[in-house]
Amino acid sequence: MQLSLLGSLILLAILSVILLWQASYAEDVTFVIPGSKDPSLGQFFDPELQIIEKGQAIVFVNPDTEPHHLVIKSNADGQQVFDTGELKSNEFVSYNFSDYGNYTIESTTYPHMKGNIIVTEDIATFSKSLKVQNIDVQLSRSPANPQINQETHFKLTFIDRNTGRNHPHIDYDVKFQNSEGELLNVTGGHTVDGAEYWNYTFNEQDVLTPIVEVLGVDFLPIEKQTVEFDTVVTPEFSAVAIAVIMA
């Protein structure tokens, strides 16, 4: 979660949740955004979309001052697969997704509140270590092999190697280095809960190397540490274009 407009809004609320959550291991987390009972807010969950592999769990956290009651439904048949019960302020609950598919997060109290979950095997995850800081930097993308002009979902997680939990409060930058050595700025900022999400569309054939620069830990600046991940190779033609050519 980045200290953007949304991040600054929920910073104080999330800090108390993180303190309560210290006994649990690193998992994917979906936060209710404080003030979500107001339809004009626009976004009601952070992240709006979670993409996980089969067997992974998601922790649903309510840092709002208002209680929230959420249900998870399968998009395939509309059947409810999980009920969080009422989550009071700073309460959380975890659910393990054992089946592939698309799911919708809904509020039983506020019908406008919706979020999305995709459980898929089309994910590639890579991990690198910051040995000086004893932190693992994990980068995931879905789809695993992006096509040209296909939206790709990325997740960046910082994990404390001593505890196996997300390491909060990291200052970072993310860049892609193309085949000509040019650096493309992608995203960056301060993560409150140790996880960040963004979407990126590759618009041309290329070989790109994701680079993560860590600039600060626990509100303290550090000498920049850089990790490079396995390259992303976008093909000459998208899957749709190939299908048209082959027809």
Side-chain angles (χ1 to χ4, degrees):
M1 186 177 299
Q2 181 176 316
L3 274 181
S4 57
L5 291 177
L6 288 176
S8 59
L9 176 67
I10 62 180
L11 172 59
L12 294 178
I14 287 177
L15 288 176
S16 59
V17 174
I18 290 172
L19 292 175
L20 291 171
W21 185 38
Q22 285 182 346
S24 61
Y25 290 100
E27 292 175 297
D28 293 284
V29 183
T30 292
F31 293 90
V32 174
I33 293 178
S36 286
K37 69 178 184 180
D38 180 1
S40 67
L41 195 62
Q43 182 179 340
F44 311 103
F45 297 99
D46 191 3
E48 289 184 283
L49 170 65
Q50 279 274 19
I51 301 179
I52 61 172
E53 296 181 84
K54 180 179 177 180
Q56 285 186 264
I58 293 178
V59 180
F60 299 92
V61 182
N62 178 24
D64 199 355
T65 55
E66 298 281 339
H68 287 276
H69 186 168
L70 309 176
V71 293
I72 313 301
K73 295 181 179 179
S74 169
N75 291 5
D77 54 17
Q79 292 296 308
Q80 180 177 304
V81 299
F82 181 61
D83 186 329
T84 67
E86 184 180 72
L87 295 175
K88 295 182 174 63
S89 181
N90 293 337
E91 288 187 338
F92 57 91
V93 65
S94 177
Y95 178 70
N96 189 292
F97 288 80
S98 57
D99 294 307
Y100 293 117
N102 293 6
Y103 300 85
T104 299
I105 311 169
E106 297 181 359
S107 167
T108 63
T109 309
Y110 307 108
H112 61 271
M113 289 180 60
K114 294 186 184 298
N116 296 285
I117 299 165
I118 297 175
V119 182
T120 178
E121 59 183 2
D122 192 10
I123 297 178
T125 300
F126 309 92
S127 186
K128 298 285 186 176
S129 293
L130 296 176
K131 294 183 179 180
V132 175
Q133 300 297 327
N134 210 24
I135 293 172
D136 284 339
V137 184
Q138 189 177 87
L139 183 67
S140 299
R141 66 173 183 259
S142 180
N145 298 300
Q147 305 292 314
I148 293 176
N149 295 324
Q150 180 181 29
E151 187 175 53
T152 304
H153 304 275
F154 285 88
K155 177 186 177 183
L156 177 66
T157 310
F158 299 94
I159 301 173
D160 188 319
R161 298 179 67 190
N162 291 323
T163 65
R165 306 169 191 145
N166 288 13
H167 194 302
H169 303 303
I170 304 288
D171 298 315
Y172 70 97
D173 280 325
V174 179
K175 301 175 181 179
F176 287 152
Q177 186 176 46
N178 64 20
S179 56
E180 297 181 354
E182 298 173 328
L183 290 174
L184 312 174
N185 292 320
V186 177
T187 187
H190 178 92
T191 176
V192 173
D193 64 342
E196 288 298 324
Y197 306 80
W198 71 91
N199 300 331
Y200 193 88
T201 300
F202 300 95
N203 56 19
E204 61 183 359
Q205 178 192 11
D206 207 342
V207 177
L208 299 110
T209 301
I211 298 173
V212 176
E213 299 174 342
V214 177
L215 310 171
V217 178
D218 295 329
F219 300 109
L220 297 175
I222 64 169
E223 184 177 348
K224 182 174 69 175
Q225 296 187 47
T226 302
V227 292
E228 296 185 4
F229 291 89
D230 289 12
T231 56
V232 181
V233 181
T234 53
E236 184 175 2
F237 299 106
S238 69
V240 174
I242 292 174
V244 172
I245 292 171
M246 296 296 291

